[in-house]
Amino acid sequence: MIAPRNSLILLVAALGSVAGLVAALLPVSGPALLATILLLAVAIAWDARQASLAARGLRVTALPLVRAVRDRKTEILLHISNIGIGLVRNIRVAAEVPEVFRMAEPALDCGPVLRPGQGIQVTARFGCQRRGEYKITRCWFESISRMGLWTVRTAASCDVTVRVYPDISRDKTAAEFLQRGRAGARVMQVTGKGREFSQLREYLPDDPYEDVDWKSTARRGTPVVRCWRVERDQEVYVVVDASRLSARPAGAETILERYVHSALVMAIAAQAQGDRFGLITFSDRVHRFVRARSGKQHFNYCRDAIYRLQPRAVEPDFGELFAFLETRLTRRALVIILTSLDDPLTGETFARHVGIASRRHLVLAGMPEPDGARPLFSAAAGNAHQMYSALAGHVRWRQLAELSNSCRRQGVRLHLLDPARVSGQLAGIYLDVKRRQRL
């Protein structure tokens, strides 16, 4: 695309005015004026043609994969090259990005002149408001012709994939576990003596008789006891529900955003405690299954498995989920299910199928506490509207209480979480399970 600049418009206006005035005063100068105008028109057309041909030689390349963090500045290094045969002057480049991107500068200057065979690098800075995967497939160039009369705009294709991950670095819970040298070093009282065998040692007067290893005692001829330690290397799975209820707002974000954020924080907490972490996402079917492992590379794999998860307008299928857990998880594990059970039908379905998994695994369910779900007379009602709202909240509270009792009878605990502190409360629940050796 080519467009005239203000200098061309002023030149044509001035030439037209002068030519008209000269033609009116000197009629015999008409042929000379016409020849001058024709020569100037040819020069203008030649300038436009040369600028258009030169701009066609511009190309842009960049790294094929860029990793970014939500609401944090990220840089993309663009390499601009001229593979044509003409000079390109006063180049500006702008990447065609999705609407959720916030560019620090809409267009970037690439210098006064770019000669054939030369290249230049510019840095595009942006921030993204939503996690997910995005494509940048085209960049636009703007240059000025040699005579400065035309502005030429051309497009060049590129192939850049931008992965925007959740930002967990500002989470206080994640920061506590990420501090090197302190993660897991806090003194924590542990109930019981552990269930994992550590070593054999000689009997001491205060040792209980149930710890005596009678076979080793008979073999050695002296009393020997077994030493136990708190279990390590256990499996922890977080199950994220991405069905229709996860799209509801929870403050400035959706419920699913809080789930994704909390799942990654739980991965850090499990690694700090020496356990293995696994991840499952589902809605009307199981979408992703990441088997429990440990290590930084495994955390990155879990992050890549969940960062594109979006809510789906379907009902959750708990029957398929628990059947999947029964067939794929052969070792007893801690399974934390992040879902919304305040819908009566959804809660009834969950309570009906959760027994499949609770017979083998320790299952915990976590959901954001609904607004206003509290006993009727827990707060004063000033008018009729507040009274009706309190009655509606009491009904929801009563339904959740009945659901919690139904789950408890099957060995499943339902936890109502503060939407603003989901990750911190989940980490506290997990540490409490470790301290009590419930797994």
Side-chain angles (χ1 to χ4, degrees), residues 32-356:
L33 290 174
L34 181 60
T36 303
I37 293 174
L38 290 176
L39 289 175
L40 184 59
V42 170
I44 293 174
W46 177 84
D47 187 46
R49 176 65 176 172
Q50 291 298 113
S52 179
L53 291 176
R56 293 178 184 177
L58 292 176
R59 296 292 185 271
V60 58
T61 56
L63 292 176
L65 179 61
V66 176
R67 290 181 170 86
V69 178
R70 179 185 169 188
D71 293 329
R72 293 176 63 182
K73 291 297 182 181
T74 306
E75 297 182 352
I76 299 180
L77 189 62
L78 302 176
H79 180 75
I80 314 300
S81 58
N82 183 6
I83 63 172
I85 58 174
L87 297 175
V88 187
R89 292 172 172 81
N90 301 102
I91 306 173
R92 302 181 70 202
V93 61
E96 191 174 298
V97 298
E99 295 181 358
V100 294
F101 282 34
R102 299 192 307 269
M103 302 299 296
E105 299 179 15
L108 303 171
D109 293 326
C110 301
V113 176
L114 187 61
R115 302 181 181 276
Q118 292 184 344
I120 190 174
Q121 290 183 346
V122 294
T123 302
R125 297 176 176 85
F126 69 94
C128 186
Q129 301 174 344
R130 293 178 56 188
R131 58 176 176 80
E133 184 173 282
Y134 304 93
K135 294 283 189 179
I136 300 177
T137 59
R138 187 163 56 177
C139 290
W140 288 91
F141 295 103
E142 181 182 84
S143 59
I144 299 176
S145 63
R146 177 176 298 184
M147 298 174 61
L149 302 177
W150 298 95
T151 297
V152 182
R153 296 184 178 93
T154 57
S157 61
C158 61
D159 186 11
V160 179
T161 301
V162 181
R163 294 180 179 178
V164 183
Y165 298 110
D167 185 9
I168 63 174
S169 61
R170 301 176 184 177
D171 188 278
K172 295 182 179 179
T173 305
E176 182 176 355
F177 284 106
L178 284 173
Q179 288 179 357
R180 296 183 180 273
R182 292 186 56 188
R186 179 181 299 177
V187 177
M188 182 177 65
Q189 182 179 359
V190 179
T191 304
K193 59 184 178 182
R195 302 177 181 177
E196 185 176 347
F197 175 75
S198 175
Q199 62 182 355
L200 295 173
R201 63 171 176 81
E202 294 184 359
Y203 175 81
L204 298 177
D206 294 336
D207 291 333
Y209 291 126
E210 60 266 20
D211 290 344
V212 176
D213 190 326
W214 297 107
K215 291 184 178 180
S216 299
T217 298
R219 189 182 305 113
R220 298 185 181 183
T222 181
V224 177
V225 295
R226 296 177 181 177
C227 296
W228 308 90
R229 63 183 178 185
V230 177
E231 293 83 357
R232 296 285 181 179
D233 199 30
Q234 296 174 326
E235 293 186 355
V236 179
Y237 284 89
V238 172
V239 183
V240 179
D241 180 6
S243 61
R244 63 178 183 88
L245 295 180
S246 65
R248 295 182 299 179
E253 300 176 329
T254 63
I255 293 178
L256 183 59
E257 291 295 330
R258 301 297 174 91
Y259 289 168
V260 172
H261 184 94
S262 302
L264 295 179
V265 173
M266 279 297 302
I268 298 174
Q271 182 174 351
Q273 295 297 317
D275 290 333
R276 294 186 291 177
F277 176 80
L279 180 67
I280 301 173
T281 62
F282 83 104
S283 58
D284 58 337
R285 58 183 177 84
V286 176
H287 300 296
R288 295 296 299 269
F289 171 65
V290 181
R291 189 167 292 279
R293 290 183 176 85
S294 59
K296 183 177 180 180
Q297 185 176 359
H298 178 68
F299 174 81
N300 294 335
Y301 185 73
C302 293
R303 185 182 60 178
D304 289 338
I306 201 175
Y307 79 97
R308 289 184 294 180
L309 187 65
Q310 298 296 335
R312 304 185 64 197
V314 294
E315 293 290 336
D317 191 342
F318 292 109
E320 181 176 350
L321 170 65
F322 293 128
F324 179 87
L325 295 178
E326 182 69 15
T327 56
R328 301 299 292 271
L329 303 185
T330 57
R331 179 182 176 184
R332 177 174 170 84
L334 171 62
V335 180
I336 303 176
I337 303 175
L338 300 179
T339 183
S340 297
L341 301 176
D342 51 331
D343 181 74
L345 181 59
T346 304
E348 180 182 352
T349 306
F350 177 85
R352 185 168 63 250
H353 293 95
V354 71
I356 301 174

